[in-house]
Amino acid sequence: MFTPGESPGTFSAFPWLSPRPGCANLVSDIMPEPGRVVGKRILIVDDEPGTRDALKLLLALDAHQVKEAANGKEACYLFVPGDFDLVITDYSMPEMRGDELARTLKCLVPSLPILMITAYAAQVWSRDNPVDAILPKPFTLGELRRTISDLLAPDGPRIRGAMPALQSGPQVRTPDAGRLELGSG
């Protein structure tokens, strides 16, 4: 929603979804990248409704079918092996953390790609965390798309083996222009 007095290209309905300063046209930010993955079945797990709404909006740009869960226990209830191509989870949630959810789902479907999106990337990345990739908040739409493409590559997830920097720890980014501020955890 654009309201009078706002800069062109800003959305009051999602204030944390903000374009680069001075960017009047978001078309280039949302245009699909060549070779992008589309039309996948994705389960989003996050305790913050605004974060789930934003991710759902971003994933809809690539025609993904999305189901939502507000926490890990709800996700376990919704999860049926074979129903999802990817799970995107937060780390810090009530009732069940994202790594606990990932461990549970990996017991059911070891090959299921799981992406963790968190503001605590440096603290949660370890060999004991069973997720396939961690995307630090904030992130760009392009980074989300590339991570999903890497996770859903035809030959299986490429993140852990293909990105040596992530094996010793994530590349934690500080907030800057063009990054999406999605929640706190």
Side-chain angles (χ1 to χ4, degrees):
M1 306 211 156
F2 181 75
T3 57
E6 287 184 306
S7 300
T10 62
F11 297 90
S12 59
F14 300 104
W16 27 258
L17 181 63
S18 58
R20 292 176 194 90
C23 181
N25 187 351
L26 290 178
V27 174
S28 62
D29 288 343
I30 63 172
M31 288 302 292
E33 297 173 2
R36 79 186 197 280
V37 173
V38 297
K40 297 299 182 178
R41 300 162 301 161
I42 300 175
L43 175 61
I44 297 173
V45 188
D46 198 298
D47 58 320
E48 295 182 30
T51 300
R52 291 194 313 269
D53 289 343
L55 282 170
K56 191 173 182 176
L57 176 71
L58 294 174
L59 294 169
L61 293 171
D62 292 331
H64 296 299
Q65 300 168 27
V66 175
K67 284 197 178 180
E68 305 172 43
N71 59 56
K73 285 189 177 182
E74 186 179 331
C76 288
Y77 178 76
L78 289 173
F79 187 80
V80 175
D83 278 5
F84 299 101
D85 300 305
L86 173 68
V87 173
I88 299 176
T89 184
D90 187 21
Y91 173 76
S92 181
M93 298 180 289
E95 300 191 41
M96 180 184 276
R97 290 188 325 253
D99 61 330
E100 296 169 328
L101 170 64
R103 196 167 290 109
T104 300
L105 298 180
K106 289 285 190 177
C107 284
L108 296 171
V109 183
S111 62
L112 176 71
I114 301 177
L115 168 61
M116 183 175 284
I117 297 177
T118 181
Y120 308 109
Q123 294 86 351
V124 303
W125 186 264
S126 73
R127 299 256 183 234
D128 296 332
N129 191 339
V131 299
D132 297 290
I134 294 177
L135 186 59
K137 293 177 185 175
F139 56 87
T140 65
L141 175 58
E143 289 170 327
L144 177 63
R145 282 177 166 160
R146 280 186 296 279
T147 304
I148 290 172
S149 292
D150 285 345
L151 285 169
L152 298 176
D155 55 345
R158 298 184 296 201
I159 299 293
R160 282 191 185 261
M163 298 177 122
L166 288 178
Q167 291 180 356
S168 61
Q171 296 176 346
V172 180
R173 299 174 188 97
T174 56
D176 65 342
R179 304 248 180 240
L180 304 177
E181 299 282 352
L182 296 178
S184 61

